[in-house]
Amino acid sequence: MRLSSYLIPAAAFVIAAVLSTFAAIFSADMIEDASQSGVQSELARDGMTWVDVHAEGLQVFLTGIAPTEADAF
């Protein structure tokens, strides 16, 4: 068999792997940004502007110092 009969399928798999990796990274970033902005806007709507929101993957972290202990809960 010639080299080209192996090269074309191998190149297709490599290209598919690279495109899949970039698509996964882009999708993860979009999900994180959407989660963070959605939580932040809901908290701001309820007047909780003291909360800082940070998203990592599917986890959303809320930090901040509440003005009163009741507001913290």
Side-chain angles (χ1 to χ4, degrees):
M1 288 194 168
R2 296 186 336 214
L3 181 60
S4 64
S5 64
Y6 292 117
L7 188 60
I8 292 172
F13 277 110
V14 169
I15 291 170
V18 170
L19 289 176
S20 297
T21 302
F22 284 125
I25 292 170
F26 180 72
S27 298
D29 287 342
M30 282 184 47
I31 291 169
E32 286 177 359
D33 292 342
S35 298
Q36 184 172 346
S37 65
V39 170
Q40 187 111 31
S41 67
E42 287 297 315
L43 289 171
R45 184 181 59 96
D46 290 341
M48 296 184 198
T49 56
W50 51 269
V51 179
D52 293 323
V53 180
H54 176 71
E56 252 181 60
L58 296 177
Q59 295 180 337
V60 177
F61 299 98
L62 304 175
T63 58
I65 299 174
T68 65
E69 188 174 348
D71 287 340
F73 294 104

CSV table of all heavy atoms in Angstrom, one decimal:
chain,number,residue,atom,x,y,z
A,1,MET,N,0.8,-1.2,0.0
A,1,MET,CA,0.0,0.0,0.0
A,1,MET,C,0.9,1.2,0.0
A,1,MET,O,2.0,1.3,0.5
A,1,MET,CB,-0.9,0.0,1.2
A,1,MET,CG,-2.0,-1.0,1.2
A,1,MET,SD,-3.1,-0.5,2.5
A,1,MET,CE,-4.4,-1.6,2.0
A,2,ARG,N,0.3,2.2,-0.6
A,2,ARG,CA,1.0,3.5,-0.6
A,2,ARG,C,0.9,4.3,0.7
A,2,ARG,O,0.0,4.1,1.4
A,2,ARG,CB,0.5,4.3,-1.8
A,2,ARG,CG,0.8,3.7,-3.1
A,2,ARG,CD,0.4,4.5,-4.3
A,2,ARG,NE,-0.6,5.5,-3.9
A,2,ARG,CZ,-1.6,5.9,-4.7
A,2,ARG,NH1,-1.7,5.4,-5.9
A,2,ARG,NH2,-2.4,6.8,-4.4
A,3,LEU,N,1.8,5.2,0.9
A,3,LEU,CA,1.7,6.1,2.1
A,3,LEU,C,0.5,6.9,2.1
A,3,LEU,O,-0.1,7.1,3.2
A,3,LEU,CB,3.0,6.9,2.1
A,3,LEU,CG,3.1,7.9,3.3
A,3,LEU,CD1,3.2,7.1,4.6
A,3,LEU,CD2,4.4,8.7,3.1
A,4,SER,N,0.0,7.4,1.0
A,4,SER,CA,-1.2,8.2,0.9
A,4,SER,C,-2.4,7.5,1.4
A,4,SER,O,-3.3,8.2,2.0
A,4,SER,CB,-1.4,8.8,-0.5
A,4,SER,OG,-1.7,7.7,-1.3
A,5,SER,N,-2.5,6.2,1.3
A,5,SER,CA,-3.7,5.5,1.8
A,5,SER,C,-3.7,5.5,3.3
A,5,SER,O,-4.8,5.3,3.9
A,5,SER,CB,-3.7,4.1,1.3
A,5,SER,OG,-2.6,3.3,1.7
A,6,TYR,N,-2.6,5.7,4.0
A,6,TYR,CA,-2.6,5.8,5.5
A,6,TYR,C,-2.6,7.2,5.9
A,6,TYR,O,-3.1,7.5,7.0
A,6,TYR,CB,-1.3,5.1,6.0
A,6,TYR,CG,-1.3,3.6,5.9
A,6,TYR,CD1,-0.3,3.0,5.1
A,6,TYR,CD2,-2.2,2.8,6.5
A,6,TYR,CE1,-0.3,1.7,5.0
A,6,TYR,CE2,-2.2,1.5,6.4
A,6,TYR,CZ,-1.2,0.9,5.6
A,6,TYR,OH,-1.2,-0.5,5.5
A,7,LEU,N,-2.1,8.1,5.1
A,7,LEU,CA,-1.9,9.5,5.5
A,7,LEU,C,-3.2,10.2,5.5
A,7,LEU,O,-3.5,11.0,6.5
A,7,LEU,CB,-1.0,10.2,4.5
A,7,LEU,CG,-0.5,11.6,4.9
A,7,LEU,CD1,0.2,11.6,6.2
A,7,LEU,CD2,0.4,12.2,3.8
A,8,ILE,N,-4.1,10.0,4.6
A,8,ILE,CA,-5.4,10.7,4.5
A,8,ILE,C,-6.3,10.4,5.8
A,8,ILE,O,-6.8,11.3,6.4
A,8,ILE,CB,-6.1,10.4,3.2
A,8,ILE,CG1,-5.3,11.1,2.1
A,8,ILE,CG2,-7.5,11.0,3.2
A,8,ILE,CD1,-5.8,10.7,0.7
A,9,PRO,N,-6.5,9.1,6.1
A,9,PRO,CA,-7.3,8.8,7.3
A,9,PRO,C,-6.6,9.3,8.6
A,9,PRO,O,-7.3,9.9,9.5
A,9,PRO,CB,-7.4,7.3,7.3
A,9,PRO,CG,-7.2,6.9,6.0
A,9,PRO,CD,-6.2,7.9,5.4
A,10,ALA,N,-5.3,9.2,8.7
A,10,ALA,CA,-4.6,9.7,9.9
A,10,ALA,C,-4.8,11.2,10.0
A,10,ALA,O,-5.0,11.8,11.1
A,10,ALA,CB,-3.2,9.3,9.8
A,11,ALA,N,-4.6,11.9,8.9
A,11,ALA,CA,-4.8,13.4,8.9
A,11,ALA,C,-6.2,13.8,9.3
A,11,ALA,O,-6.4,14.8,10.0
A,11,ALA,CB,-4.4,14.0,7.6
A,12,ALA,N,-7.2,13.0,8.8
A,12,ALA,CA,-8.6,13.3,9.1
A,12,ALA,C,-8.8,13.2,10.6
A,12,ALA,O,-9.5,14.0,11.2
A,12,ALA,CB,-9.5,12.4,8.3
A,13,PHE,N,-8.3,12.1,11.2
A,13,PHE,CA,-8.4,11.9,12.7
A,13,PHE,C,-7.7,13.0,13.5
A,13,PHE,O,-8.2,13.5,14.5
A,13,PHE,CB,-7.9,10.6,13.1
A,13,PHE,CG,-8.9,9.5,12.9
A,13,PHE,CD1,-8.7,8.5,11.9
A,13,PHE,CD2,-10.0,9.4,13.7
A,13,PHE,CE1,-9.6,7.5,11.7
A,13,PHE,CE2,-10.9,8.3,13.5
A,13,PHE,CZ,-10.7,7.4,12.5
A,14,VAL,N,-6.5,13.4,13.0
A,14,VAL,CA,-5.8,14.5,13.7
A,14,VAL,C,-6.6,15.8,13.6
A,14,VAL,O,-6.8,16.5,14.6
A,14,VAL,CB,-4.4,14.7,13.2
A,14,VAL,CG1,-3.7,15.9,13.7
A,14,VAL,CG2,-3.6,13.4,13.5
A,15,ILE,N,-7.1,16.1,12.5
A,15,ILE,CA,-7.9,17.4,12.3
A,15,ILE,C,-9.2,17.3,13.1
A,15,ILE,O,-9.5,18.3,13.8
A,15,ILE,CB,-8.2,17.6,10.8
A,15,ILE,CG1,-6.9,18.0,10.0
A,15,ILE,CG2,-9.2,18.7,10.6
A,15,ILE,CD1,-7.0,18.0,8.5
A,16,ALA,N,-9.8,16.2,13.2
A,16,ALA,CA,-11.0,16.0,14.0
A,16,ALA,C,-10.7,16.2,15.4
A,16,ALA,O,-11.5,16.8,16.2
A,16,ALA,CB,-11.7,14.7,13.7
A,17,ALA,N,-9.6,15.7,15.9
A,17,ALA,CA,-9.2,15.8,17.3
A,17,ALA,C,-8.9,17.2,17.7
A,17,ALA,O,-9.4,17.7,18.7
A,17,ALA,CB,-8.0,14.9,17.6
A,18,VAL,N,-8.2,17.9,16.8
A,18,VAL,CA,-7.9,19.4,17.1
A,18,VAL,C,-9.2,20.2,17.1
A,18,VAL,O,-9.4,21.0,18.0
A,18,VAL,CB,-6.9,19.9,16.0
A,18,VAL,CG1,-6.8,21.4,16.1
A,18,VAL,CG2,-5.6,19.2,16.2
A,19,LEU,N,-10.1,20.0,16.1
A,19,LEU,CA,-11.3,20.7,16.1
A,19,LEU,C,-12.2,20.4,17.3
A,19,LEU,O,-12.9,21.3,17.8
A,19,LEU,CB,-12.1,20.5,14.8
A,19,LEU,CG,-11.5,21.0,13.5
A,19,LEU,CD1,-12.2,20.6,12.3
A,19,LEU,CD2,-11.4,22.6,13.6
A,20,SER,N,-12.3,19.2,17.7
A,20,SER,CA,-13.1,18.8,18.8
A,20,SER,C,-12.5,19.4,20.1
A,20,SER,O,-13.3,19.9,21.0
A,20,SER,CB,-13.1,17.3,19.0
A,20,SER,OG,-13.7,16.6,17.9
A,21,THR,N,-11.2,19.5,20.2
A,21,THR,CA,-10.6,20.1,21.4
A,21,THR,C,-11.0,21.6,21.5
A,21,THR,O,-11.4,22.1,22.5
A,21,THR,CB,-9.1,20.0,21.4
A,21,THR,OG1,-8.8,18.6,21.4
A,21,THR,CG2,-8.4,20.6,22.6
A,22,PHE,N,-10.9,22.3,20.4
A,22,PHE,CA,-11.2,23.7,20.3
A,22,PHE,C,-12.7,23.9,20.6
A,22,PHE,O,-13.1,24.9,21.3
A,22,PHE,CB,-10.8,24.4,19.0
A,22,PHE,CG,-9.3,24.7,19.0
A,22,PHE,CD1,-8.5,24.2,17.9
A,22,PHE,CD2,-8.7,25.4,19.9
A,22,PHE,CE1,-7.2,24.4,17.8
A,22,PHE,CE2,-7.3,25.6,19.9
A,22,PHE,CZ,-6.6,25.1,18.8
A,23,ALA,N,-13.5,23.1,20.1
A,23,ALA,CA,-15.0,23.2,20.3
A,23,ALA,C,-15.3,23.0,21.8
A,23,ALA,O,-16.2,23.7,22.3
A,23,ALA,CB,-15.7,22.2,19.4
A,24,ALA,N,-14.7,22.0,22.4
A,24,ALA,CA,-14.9,21.8,23.8
A,24,ALA,C,-14.5,22.9,24.7
A,24,ALA,O,-15.2,23.3,25.6
A,24,ALA,CB,-14.2,20.5,24.2
A,25,ILE,N,-13.3,23.5,24.4
A,25,ILE,CA,-12.8,24.7,25.2
A,25,ILE,C,-13.8,25.8,25.0
A,25,ILE,O,-14.1,26.5,26.0
A,25,ILE,CB,-11.4,25.0,24.8
A,25,ILE,CG1,-10.4,23.9,25.2
A,25,ILE,CG2,-11.0,26.4,25.3
A,25,ILE,CD1,-9.0,24.0,24.6
A,26,PHE,N,-14.2,26.1,23.8
A,26,PHE,CA,-15.1,27.2,23.5
A,26,PHE,C,-16.4,27.0,24.2
A,26,PHE,O,-17.0,28.0,24.8
A,26,PHE,CB,-15.3,27.4,22.0
A,26,PHE,CG,-16.2,28.5,21.6
A,26,PHE,CD1,-15.8,29.8,21.7
A,26,PHE,CD2,-17.4,28.2,21.0
A,26,PHE,CE1,-16.6,30.8,21.3
A,26,PHE,CE2,-18.3,29.2,20.7
A,26,PHE,CZ,-17.9,30.5,20.8
A,27,SER,N,-16.9,25.8,24.1
A,27,SER,CA,-18.2,25.5,24.8
A,27,SER,C,-18.1,25.7,26.3
A,27,SER,O,-19.1,26.2,26.9
A,27,SER,CB,-18.7,24.1,24.4
A,27,SER,OG,-18.9,24.0,23.1
A,28,ALA,N,-17.1,25.2,26.9
A,28,ALA,CA,-16.9,25.3,28.3
A,28,ALA,C,-16.8,26.8,28.7
A,28,ALA,O,-17.4,27.2,29.7
A,28,ALA,CB,-15.7,24.6,28.8
A,29,ASP,N,-16.1,27.6,28.0
A,29,ASP,CA,-16.0,29.0,28.3
A,29,ASP,C,-17.4,29.7,28.2
A,29,ASP,O,-17.7,30.5,29.0
A,29,ASP,CB,-15.0,29.7,27.3
A,29,ASP,CG,-13.6,29.4,27.7
A,29,ASP,OD1,-13.3,28.9,28.8
A,29,ASP,OD2,-12.7,29.6,26.8
A,30,MET,N,-18.2,29.3,27.1
A,30,MET,CA,-19.5,29.9,27.0
A,30,MET,C,-20.4,29.5,28.2
A,30,MET,O,-21.2,30.3,28.7
A,30,MET,CB,-20.1,29.4,25.7
A,30,MET,CG,-19.6,30.2,24.5
A,30,MET,SD,-20.4,29.7,22.9
A,30,MET,CE,-22.1,29.8,23.3
A,31,ILE,N,-20.4,28.3,28.6
A,31,ILE,CA,-21.2,27.8,29.7
A,31,ILE,C,-20.8,28.5,31.0
A,31,ILE,O,-21.6,29.0,31.8
A,31,ILE,CB,-21.1,26.3,29.9
A,31,ILE,CG1,-21.8,25.6,28.7
A,31,ILE,CG2,-21.7,25.8,31.2
A,31,ILE,CD1,-21.5,24.1,28.6
A,32,GLU,N,-19.5,28.7,31.2
A,32,GLU,CA,-19.0,29.4,32.4
A,32,GLU,C,-19.5,30.9,32.4
A,32,GLU,O,-20.0,31.4,33.4
A,32,GLU,CB,-17.5,29.4,32.5
A,32,GLU,CG,-17.0,28.0,32.9
A,32,GLU,CD,-15.4,28.0,33.0
A,32,GLU,OE1,-14.8,29.0,32.6
A,32,GLU,OE2,-14.9,27.0,33.3
A,33,ASP,N,-19.3,31.5,31.3
A,33,ASP,CA,-19.7,32.9,31.2
A,33,ASP,C,-21.2,33.1,31.4
A,33,ASP,O,-21.7,34.0,32.0
A,33,ASP,CB,-19.3,33.5,29.8
A,33,ASP,CG,-17.8,33.6,29.7
A,33,ASP,OD1,-17.1,33.6,30.7
A,33,ASP,OD2,-17.3,33.8,28.6
A,34,ALA,N,-22.0,32.2,30.8
A,34,ALA,CA,-23.5,32.3,30.9
A,34,ALA,C,-23.9,32.0,32.3
A,34,ALA,O,-24.8,32.7,32.8
A,34,ALA,CB,-24.1,31.3,29.9
A,35,SER,N,-23.3,31.1,33.0
A,35,SER,CA,-23.6,30.8,34.4
A,35,SER,C,-23.3,31.9,35.3
A,35,SER,O,-24.1,32.4,36.1
A,35,SER,CB,-22.9,29.5,34.9
A,35,SER,OG,-23.3,28.4,34.1
A,36,GLN,N,-22.1,32.5,35.1
A,36,GLN,CA,-21.7,33.6,35.9
A,36,GLN,C,-22.5,34.8,35.7
A,36,GLN,O,-23.0,35.4,36.7
A,36,GLN,CB,-20.2,33.9,35.6
A,36,GLN,CG,-19.6,35.0,36.5
A,36,GLN,CD,-18.1,35.1,36.3
A,36,GLN,OE1,-17.5,34.3,35.7
A,36,GLN,NE2,-17.6,36.2,36.9
A,37,SER,N,-22.8,35.2,34.5
A,37,SER,CA,-23.6,36.4,34.3
A,37,SER,C,-25.1,36.2,34.7
A,37,SER,O,-25.7,37.1,35.2
A,37,SER,CB,-23.6,36.8,32.8
A,37,SER,OG,-24.2,35.8,32.0
A,38,GLY,N,-25.6,34.9,34.6
A,38,GLY,CA,-27.0,34.7,35.0
A,38,GLY,C,-27.1,34.8,36.5
A,38,GLY,O,-28.1,35.4,37.0
A,39,VAL,N,-26.2,34.2,37.2
A,39,VAL,CA,-26.2,34.2,38.7
A,39,VAL,C,-26.0,35.7,39.2
A,39,VAL,O,-26.7,36.2,40.1
A,39,VAL,CB,-25.2,33.3,39.3
A,39,VAL,CG1,-25.1,33.5,40.8
A,39,VAL,CG2,-25.6,31.8,39.0
A,40,GLN,N,-25.1,36.4,38.5
A,40,GLN,CA,-24.8,37.7,38.9
A,40,GLN,C,-26.0,38.6,38.7
A,40,GLN,O,-26.3,39.5,39.5
A,40,GLN,CB,-23.6,38.3,38.1
A,40,GLN,CG,-23.1,39.6,38.6
A,40,GLN,CD,-21.8,39.6,39.2
A,40,GLN,OE1,-21.0,38.7,38.9
A,40,GLN,NE2,-21.6,40.5,40.2
A,41,SER,N,-26.7,38.5,37.6
A,41,SER,CA,-27.8,39.3,37.3
A,41,SER,C,-29.0,39.0,38.3
A,41,SER,O,-29.7,40.0,38.7
A,41,SER,CB,-28.3,39.2,35.9
A,41,SER,OG,-28.8,37.9,35.6
A,42,GLU,N,-29.2,37.8,38.6
A,42,GLU,CA,-30.3,37.4,39.6
A,42,GLU,C,-30.0,38.0,41.0
A,42,GLU,O,-30.9,38.5,41.6
A,42,GLU,CB,-30.5,35.9,39.6
A,42,GLU,CG,-31.2,35.4,38.4
A,42,GLU,CD,-32.6,35.9,38.2
A,42,GLU,OE1,-33.3,36.0,39.2
A,42,GLU,OE2,-32.9,36.3,37.1
A,43,LEU,N,-28.7,37.9,41.4
A,43,LEU,CA,-28.3,38.5,42.7
A,43,LEU,C,-28.5,40.0,42.7
A,43,LEU,O,-28.9,40.6,43.6
A,43,LEU,CB,-26.9,38.1,43.0
A,43,LEU,CG,-26.7,36.6,43.4
A,43,LEU,CD1,-25.3,36.3,43.5
A,43,LEU,CD2,-27.5,36.2,44.7
A,44,ALA,N,-28.1,40.6,41.6
A,44,ALA,CA,-28.2,42.1,41.5
A,44,ALA,C,-29.7,42.5,41.5
A,44,ALA,O,-30.1,43.5,42.0
A,44,ALA,CB,-27.5,42.6,40.2
A,45,ARG,N,-30.5,41.7,40.8
A,45,ARG,CA,-32.0,42.0,40.8
A,45,ARG,C,-32.6,41.9,42.2
A,45,ARG,O,-33.5,42.7,42.5
A,45,ARG,CB,-32.7,41.0,39.9
A,45,ARG,CG,-34.2,41.2,39.7
A,45,ARG,CD,-34.8,40.2,38.8
A,45,ARG,NE,-34.6,38.8,39.4
A,45,ARG,CZ,-35.6,38.2,40.1
A,45,ARG,NH1,-36.7,38.8,40.4
A,45,ARG,NH2,-35.3,37.0,40.5
A,46,ASP,N,-32.0,41.1,43.0
A,46,ASP,CA,-32.5,41.0,44.4
A,46,ASP,C,-31.8,41.9,45.4
A,46,ASP,O,-32.0,41.9,46.6
A,46,ASP,CB,-32.4,39.5,44.9
A,46,ASP,CG,-33.3,38.6,44.3
A,46,ASP,OD1,-34.3,39.0,43.7
A,46,ASP,OD2,-33.0,37.3,44.3
A,47,GLY,N,-30.9,42.8,44.8
A,47,GLY,CA,-30.2,43.8,45.6
A,47,GLY,C,-29.0,43.2,46.4
A,47,GLY,O,-28.5,43.9,47.3
A,48,MET,N,-28.5,42.1,46.0
A,48,MET,CA,-27.3,41.5,46.6
A,48,MET,C,-26.1,41.8,45.8
A,48,MET,O,-25.4,41.0,45.3
A,48,MET,CB,-27.5,40.0,46.8
A,48,MET,CG,-28.6,39.6,47.7
A,48,MET,SD,-28.6,37.9,47.9
A,48,MET,CE,-30.2,37.6,48.5
A,49,THR,N,-25.7,43.1,45.8
A,49,THR,CA,-24.6,43.5,45.0
A,49,THR,C,-23.3,43.3,45.7
A,49,THR,O,-22.2,43.4,45.1
A,49,THR,CB,-24.7,45.0,44.6
A,49,THR,OG1,-24.8,45.8,45.9
A,49,THR,CG2,-25.9,45.3,43.8
A,50,TRP,N,-23.3,42.9,46.9
A,50,TRP,CA,-22.1,42.6,47.7
A,50,TRP,C,-21.5,41.2,47.4
A,50,TRP,O,-20.4,40.9,47.8
A,50,TRP,CB,-22.3,42.7,49.2
A,50,TRP,CG,-23.5,41.9,49.7
A,50,TRP,CD1,-24.8,42.4,49.8
A,50,TRP,CD2,-23.5,40.6,50.1
A,50,TRP,NE1,-25.6,41.4,50.2
A,50,TRP,CE2,-24.9,40.2,50.4
A,50,TRP,CE3,-22.6,39.6,50.2
A,50,TRP,CZ2,-25.2,39.0,50.9
A,50,TRP,CZ3,-22.9,38.3,50.7
A,50,TRP,CH2,-24.2,38.0,51.0
A,51,VAL,N,-22.2,40.4,46.6
A,51,VAL,CA,-21.7,39.1,46.3
A,51,VAL,C,-20.9,39.1,45.0
A,51,VAL,O,-21.3,39.6,44.0
A,51,VAL,CB,-23.0,38.1,46.1
A,51,VAL,CG1,-22.5,36.7,45.8
A,51,VAL,CG2,-23.8,38.1,47.3
A,52,ASP,N,-19.7,38.4,45.1
A,52,ASP,CA,-18.9,38.2,43.9
A,52,ASP,C,-19.1,36.8,43.4
A,52,ASP,O,-19.1,35.9,44.2
A,52,ASP,CB,-17.4,38.4,44.3
A,52,ASP,CG,-17.1,39.8,44.7
A,52,ASP,OD1,-17.6,40.8,44.1
A,52,ASP,OD2,-16.2,40.0,45.6
A,53,VAL,N,-19.3,36.7,42.1
A,53,VAL,CA,-19.6,35.4,41.5
A,53,VAL,C,-18.4,35.0,40.6
A,53,VAL,O,-17.9,35.8,39.9
A,53,VAL,CB,-20.9,35.5,40.6
A,53,VAL,CG1,-21.2,34.2,40.0
A,53,VAL,CG2,-22.0,36.0,41.5
A,54,HIS,N,-18.0,33.7,40.8
A,54,HIS,CA,-16.9,33.2,40.0
A,54,HIS,C,-17.3,31.8,39.5
A,54,HIS,O,-17.7,31.0,40.4
A,54,HIS,CB,-15.6,33.1,40.8
A,54,HIS,CG,-14.5,32.5,40.0
A,54,HIS,ND1,-13.9,33.1,38.9
A,54,HIS,CD2,-13.9,31.3,40.2
A,54,HIS,CE1,-12.9,32.3,38.5
A,54,HIS,NE2,-12.9,31.2,39.2
A,55,ALA,N,-17.2,31.5,38.3
A,55,ALA,CA,-17.6,30.2,37.7
A,55,ALA,C,-16.4,29.4,37.3
A,55,ALA,O,-15.5,30.0,36.6
A,55,ALA,CB,-18.6,30.3,36.6
A,56,GLU,N,-16.3,28.2,37.6
A,56,GLU,CA,-15.2,27.3,37.2
A,56,GLU,C,-15.9,26.0,36.8
A,56,GLU,O,-16.3,25.2,37.6
A,56,GLU,CB,-14.2,27.0,38.3
A,56,GLU,CG,-12.9,27.7,38.2
A,56,GLU,CD,-12.0,27.4,39.3
A,56,GLU,OE1,-11.7,26.2,39.5
A,56,GLU,OE2,-11.6,28.3,40.0
A,57,GLY,N,-15.9,25.8,35.5
A,57,GLY,CA,-16.6,24.6,35.0
A,57,GLY,C,-18.1,24.7,35.3
A,57,GLY,O,-18.8,25.6,34.9
A,58,LEU,N,-18.6,23.7,35.9
A,58,LEU,CA,-20.1,23.7,36.3
A,58,LEU,C,-20.3,24.1,37.8
A,58,LEU,O,-21.4,24.1,38.3
A,58,LEU,CB,-20.7,22.3,36.1
A,58,LEU,CG,-20.7,21.8,34.7
A,58,LEU,CD1,-21.3,20.4,34.7
A,58,LEU,CD2,-21.5,22.7,33.8
A,59,GLN,N,-19.2,24.6,38.4
A,59,GLN,CA,-19.3,25.1,39.8
A,59,GLN,C,-19.3,26.6,39.8
A,59,GLN,O,-18.6,27.2,39.0
A,59,GLN,CB,-18.1,24.6,40.6
A,59,GLN,CG,-18.0,23.1,40.8
A,59,GLN,CD,-16.8,22.7,41.6
A,59,GLN,OE1,-15.8,23.4,41.7
A,59,GLN,NE2,-16.9,21.6,42.3
A,60,VAL,N,-20.2,27.1,40.6
A,60,VAL,CA,-20.3,28.6,40.8
A,60,VAL,C,-20.0,28.9,42.2
A,60,VAL,O,-20.6,28.4,43.1
A,60,VAL,CB,-21.7,29.1,40.4
A,60,VAL,CG1,-21.8,30.6,40.6
A,60,VAL,CG2,-22.0,28.7,39.0
A,61,PHE,N,-19.0,29.8,42.4
A,61,PHE,CA,-18.5,30.2,43.7
A,61,PHE,C,-19.1,31.6,44.1
A,61,PHE,O,-18.9,32.5,43.3
A,61,PHE,CB,-17.0,30.2,43.8
A,61,PHE,CG,-16.4,28.8,43.6
A,61,PHE,CD1,-15.9,28.5,42.3
A,61,PHE,CD2,-16.4,27.9,44.6
A,61,PHE,CE1,-15.4,27.2,42.1
A,61,PHE,CE2,-15.9,26.6,44.3
A,61,PHE,CZ,-15.3,26.3,43.1
A,62,LEU,N,-19.7,31.7,45.2
A,62,LEU,CA,-20.2,33.0,45.7
A,62,LEU,C,-19.3,33.5,46.9
A,62,LEU,O,-19.2,32.7,47.9
A,62,LEU,CB,-21.6,32.9,46.1
A,62,LEU,CG,-22.6,32.4,45.1
A,62,LEU,CD1,-24.0,32.2,45.7
A,62,LEU,CD2,-22.6,33.3,43.9
A,63,THR,N,-18.8,34.6,46.8
A,63,THR,CA,-18.0,35.2,47.9
A,63,THR,C,-18.4,36.6,48.2
A,63,THR,O,-19.0,37.3,47.3
A,63,THR,CB,-16.4,35.1,47.6
A,63,THR,OG1,-16.2,35.9,46.4
A,63,THR,CG2,-16.0,33.7,47.4
A,64,GLY,N,-18.1,37.1,49.3
A,64,GLY,CA,-18.4,38.5,49.7
A,64,GLY,C,-18.7,38.6,51.1
A,64,GLY,O,-18.9,37.7,51.9
A,65,ILE,N,-18.8,39.9,51.6
A,65,ILE,CA,-19.1,40.2,53.0
A,65,ILE,C,-20.4,40.8,53.0
A,65,ILE,O,-20.7,41.9,52.4
A,65,ILE,CB,-18.0,41.1,53.6
A,65,ILE,CG1,-16.6,40.4,53.5
A,65,ILE,CG2,-18.4,41.5,55.0
A,65,ILE,CD1,-15.5,41.3,54.0
A,66,ALA,N,-21.4,40.1,53.7
A,66,ALA,CA,-22.7,40.6,53.8
A,66,ALA,C,-22.8,41.8,54.7
A,66,ALA,O,-22.1,41.8,55.7
A,66,ALA,CB,-23.7,39.5,54.2
A,67,PRO,N,-23.7,42.7,54.5
A,67,PRO,CA,-23.8,43.9,55.4
A,67,PRO,C,-24.4,43.4,56.7
A,67,PRO,O,-24.1,44.0,57.8
A,67,PRO,CB,-24.8,44.8,54.7
A,67,PRO,CG,-25.3,44.1,53.5
A,67,PRO,CD,-24.5,42.9,53.3
A,68,THR,N,-25.3,42.4,56.7
A,68,THR,CA,-25.8,41.9,58.0
A,68,THR,C,-25.7,40.4,57.9
A,68,THR,O,-25.6,39.8,56.8
A,68,THR,CB,-27.3,42.3,58.2
A,68,THR,OG1,-28.1,41.7,57.2
A,68,THR,CG2,-27.4,43.8,58.2
A,69,GLU,N,-25.8,39.7,59.1
A,69,GLU,CA,-25.8,38.3,59.1
A,69,GLU,C,-27.0,37.7,58.5
A,69,GLU,O,-26.9,36.6,57.8
A,69,GLU,CB,-25.7,37.8,60.6
A,69,GLU,CG,-25.4,36.3,60.7
A,69,GLU,CD,-25.1,35.9,62.1
A,69,GLU,OE1,-24.9,36.7,63.0
A,69,GLU,OE2,-25.1,34.7,62.3
A,70,ALA,N,-28.1,38.3,58.6
A,70,ALA,CA,-29.3,37.8,58.0
A,70,ALA,C,-29.2,37.8,56.4
A,70,ALA,O,-29.7,36.9,55.8
A,70,ALA,CB,-30.5,38.6,58.4
A,71,ASP,N,-28.6,38.8,55.9
A,71,ASP,CA,-28.4,38.9,54.4
A,71,ASP,C,-27.4,37.7,53.9
A,71,ASP,O,-27.5,37.3,52.8
A,71,ASP,CB,-27.8,40.2,54.0
A,71,ASP,CG,-28.8,41.3,54.1
A,71,ASP,OD1,-30.0,41.0,54.1
A,71,ASP,OD2,-28.4,42.5,54.1
A,72,ALA,N,-26.6,37.3,54.8
A,72,ALA,CA,-25.6,36.2,54.4
A,72,ALA,C,-26.4,34.9,54.1
A,72,ALA,O,-25.9,34.1,53.3
A,72,ALA,CB,-24.6,36.0,55.5
A,73,PHE,N,-27.5,34.7,54.8
A,73,PHE,CA,-28.3,33.5,54.6
A,73,PHE,C,-29.4,33.7,53.6
A,73,PHE,O,-29.9,32.8,53.1
A,73,PHE,CB,-28.8,33.0,55.9
A,73,PHE,CG,-27.7,32.6,56.9
A,73,PHE,CD1,-27.3,33.4,57.9
A,73,PHE,CD2,-27.0,31.4,56.6
A,73,PHE,CE1,-26.3,33.0,58.8
A,73,PHE,CE2,-26.0,31.0,57.5
A,73,PHE,CZ,-25.6,31.8,58.5
